[in-house]
Amino acid sequence: MVRTRNWHRARGANVPTPVYGQDPAHPRATGWVSTDGKFLCYCGSITGNTSKDIGSHLTKLHKHDSAYQMAQFREHGFTWDCEDCDAKHECFNALVTHSRRCEGFRGSSDGMRSRQDPFKPSSSLEDTFQLRAHQMMSNFYQHQHQLRQQHRQRQLRQQHRQRQLRRRRQQRRLRYQRQQQLNAANDQRQPNTDGA
């Protein structure tokens, strides 16, 4: 059976079924547990429902400055070139995967990173990545601030509409009471013409 990596994109029989009410094994986990015991993250990833698996997933994919995120970092116009062939790759992880599969590379990839860093000599990958991560977090916080402002504006508009509705109801009630008082006063002034 083909392994489903993103449960948002799963089709047919591969769609996992969440069990609502069952808590994931990690306290910071945001997602559900499926009927087969896997953790379904809100981002779409599927991992084992153990504290270790979920913690690794959160550190790797949801931490904006993780080593994995840095190795996946793509910058337009920069490519990682293979030393042995003419292959070009958009990110460091793709270069390492190519080197291991096609070139027979084994061992630590730290030396490969320092030798083939396309960001040299003006800057390093780490500096560029940290700058981009900082910009992303800044944009995230600005977006959150905008969402809070929009939410507050919606609340204020709703409160204003509720005040207007209360005021209109109160005015209607007062008009109705005045009309009732006028009708009662008119009834008292009119002479009784019952034939007595």
Side-chain angles (χ1 to χ4, degrees), residues 29-131:
T30 307
W32 304 269
V33 178
S34 67
T35 52
D36 62 349
K38 298 286 187 184
F39 170 67
L40 309 174
C41 185
Y42 72 91
C43 73
S45 294
I46 300 174
T47 61
N49 188 29
T50 64
S51 185
K52 178 186 174 295
D53 290 339
I54 296 171
S56 295
H57 168 74
L58 294 175
T59 301
K60 181 178 174 183
L61 294 174
H62 293 281
K63 186 178 173 190
H64 72 279
D65 59 350
S66 69
Y68 175 79
Q69 295 287 353
M70 187 170 76
Q72 287 291 101
F73 178 67
R74 289 170 166 80
E75 182 72 26
H76 180 70
F78 290 95
T79 58
W80 293 82
D81 301 330
C82 179
E83 293 175 327
D84 300 327
C85 64
D86 293 333
K88 297 183 181 304
H89 305 280
E90 291 182 353
C91 68
F92 181 68
N93 273 354
L95 173 66
V96 172
T97 301
H98 164 78
S99 297
R100 292 190 192 285
R101 287 183 183 161
C102 300
E103 312 298 341
F105 178 77
R106 297 288 177 257
S108 174
S109 59
D110 292 339
M112 185 187 302
R113 174 176 282 165
S114 62
R115 284 192 310 274
Q116 296 175 301
D117 187 357
F119 297 86
K120 291 188 306 189
S122 60
S123 67
S124 71
L125 170 66
E126 287 83 7
D127 294 340
T128 307
F129 173 75
Q130 290 299 333
L131 177 65

Side-chain angles (χ1 to χ4, degrees), residues 10 24 32 70 117 125 140 160 162 174 177-178 185:
W32 304 269
M70 187 170 76
D117 187 357
L125 170 66
F140 172 76
H160 179 68
Q162 287 174 349
L174 288 173
Q177 289 173 353
R178 277 191 231 130

